[in-house]
Coordinates of all heavy atoms in Angstrom, one line a residue:
T22 N 40.0 10.3 20.1 CA 38.7 10.0 19.6 C 38.0 11.3 19.3 O 38.3 12.4 19.8 CB 37.9 9.2 20.6 OG1 37.8 9.9 21.9 CG2 38.5 7.8 20.9
I23 N 37.0 11.2 18.4 CA 36.2 12.4 18.1 C 34.7 12.0 17.9 O 34.5 10.9 17.4 CB 36.7 13.0 16.7 CG1 36.1 14.3 16.4 CG2 36.6 12.0 15.6 CD1 36.8 15.0 15.3
P24 N 33.8 12.7 18.4 CA 32.4 12.4 18.3 C 31.9 12.3 16.8 O 32.5 12.9 15.9 CB 31.6 13.5 19.0 CG 32.6 14.1 19.9 CD 34.0 13.9 19.2
A25 N 30.9 11.5 16.6 CA 30.4 11.2 15.2 C 29.6 12.4 14.6 O 29.3 12.3 13.4 CB 29.6 10.0 15.2
I26 N 29.3 13.4 15.4 CA 28.7 14.6 14.8 C 29.1 15.8 15.7 O 29.4 15.6 16.9 CB 27.1 14.5 14.8 CG1 26.5 15.5 14.0 CG2 26.6 14.4 16.3 CD1 25.0 15.3 13.8
G27 N 29.1 17.0 15.1 CA 29.5 18.2 15.8 C 28.7 19.4 15.5 O 27.8 19.3 14.7
L28 N 29.1 20.5 16.1 CA 28.4 21.7 15.9 C 29.4 22.7 15.1 O 30.5 23.0 15.5 CB 28.1 22.4 17.2 CG 27.4 23.8 17.1 CD1 25.9 23.6 16.7 CD2 27.5 24.6 18.4
G29 N 28.9 23.1 14.0 CA 29.6 24.2 13.2 C 29.2 25.5 13.7 O 28.1 25.7 14.2
T30 N 30.1 26.5 13.6 CA 29.8 27.9 14.1 C 30.0 29.0 13.1 O 29.8 30.2 13.4 CB 30.7 28.1 15.3 OG1 32.1 28.2 14.9 CG2 30.5 27.2 16.4
W31 N 30.3 28.7 11.8 CA 30.4 29.7 10.8 C 28.9 29.9 10.3 O 28.2 29.0 10.0 CB 31.3 29.3 9.7 CG 31.4 30.3 8.6 CD1 32.3 31.3 8.6 CD2 30.7 30.5 7.4 NE1 32.2 32.1 7.5 CE2 31.2 31.7 6.7 CE3 29.6 29.8 6.9 CZ2 30.6 32.1 5.6 CZ3 29.1 30.3 5.6 CH2 29.6 31.4 5.0
P32 N 28.5 31.2 10.1 CA 29.2 32.5 10.3 C 28.7 33.3 11.5 O 28.5 34.5 11.5 CB 28.8 33.2 9.0 CG 27.4 32.9 8.9 CD 27.2 31.4 9.4
M33 N 28.6 32.6 12.7 CA 28.2 33.3 13.9 C 29.3 34.3 14.4 O 30.4 34.0 14.2 CB 28.0 32.2 15.0 CG 27.0 31.1 14.7 SD 26.9 30.0 16.1 CE 26.1 28.6 15.4
D34 N 28.8 35.4 15.0 CA 29.7 36.3 15.7 C 29.9 35.8 17.1 O 29.4 34.7 17.5 CB 29.2 37.7 15.6 CG 27.9 37.9 16.3 OD1 27.4 37.0 17.1 OD2 27.2 39.0 16.1
D35 N 30.7 36.5 17.8 CA 31.1 36.0 19.2 C 29.9 35.9 20.1 O 29.8 34.9 20.8 CB 32.1 37.0 19.8 CG 33.5 36.8 19.4 OD1 33.9 35.6 19.2 OD2 34.2 37.8 19.2
V36 N 28.9 36.8 20.0 CA 27.7 36.7 20.9 C 26.9 35.6 20.5 O 26.5 34.8 21.5 CB 26.9 38.1 20.8 CG1 25.6 37.9 21.5 CG2 27.7 39.2 21.2
R37 N 26.6 35.3 19.3 CA 25.8 34.2 18.9 C 26.6 32.8 19.1 O 25.9 31.8 19.5 CB 25.4 34.3 17.4 CG 24.5 35.4 17.1 CD 23.9 35.3 15.7 NE 22.9 34.2 15.6 CZ 22.7 33.6 14.4 NH1 23.3 33.9 13.4 NH2 21.8 32.7 14.4
A38 N 27.9 32.8 18.9 CA 28.6 31.6 19.1 C 28.6 31.3 20.6 O 28.5 30.1 20.9 CB 30.0 31.8 18.6
E39 N 28.8 32.2 21.5 CA 28.7 31.9 22.9 C 27.3 31.2 23.3 O 27.4 30.2 24.0 CB 28.9 33.1 23.8 CG 28.9 32.9 25.3 CD 29.1 34.1 26.1 OE1 29.5 35.1 25.5 OE2 28.9 34.0 27.3
E40 N 26.3 31.8 22.8 CA 25.0 31.2 23.1 C 24.8 29.9 22.5 O 24.3 28.9 23.2 CB 23.8 32.2 22.6 CG 23.7 33.5 23.3 CD 23.1 33.4 24.6 OE1 22.4 32.3 24.9 OE2 23.2 34.2 25.5
A41 N 25.2 29.7 21.3 CA 25.0 28.5 20.5 C 25.8 27.4 21.1 O 25.3 26.2 21.3 CB 25.3 28.7 19.1
V42 N 27.1 27.7 21.4 CA 28.0 26.6 21.9 C 27.5 26.2 23.3 O 27.4 25.0 23.6 CB 29.4 27.1 21.9 CG1 30.3 26.1 22.7 CG2 29.9 27.2 20.5
S43 N 27.2 27.1 24.2 CA 26.8 26.8 25.5 C 25.5 25.9 25.5 O 25.4 24.9 26.2 CB 26.5 28.1 26.3 OG 26.0 27.8 27.6

Side-chain angles (χ1 to χ4, degrees):
T22 60
I23 190 171
I26 192 170
L28 178 75
T30 61
W31 184 87
M33 302 177 195
D34 62 16
D35 280 324
V36 174
R37 293 190 72 204
E39 179 179 350
E40 290 285 340
V42 169
S43 176

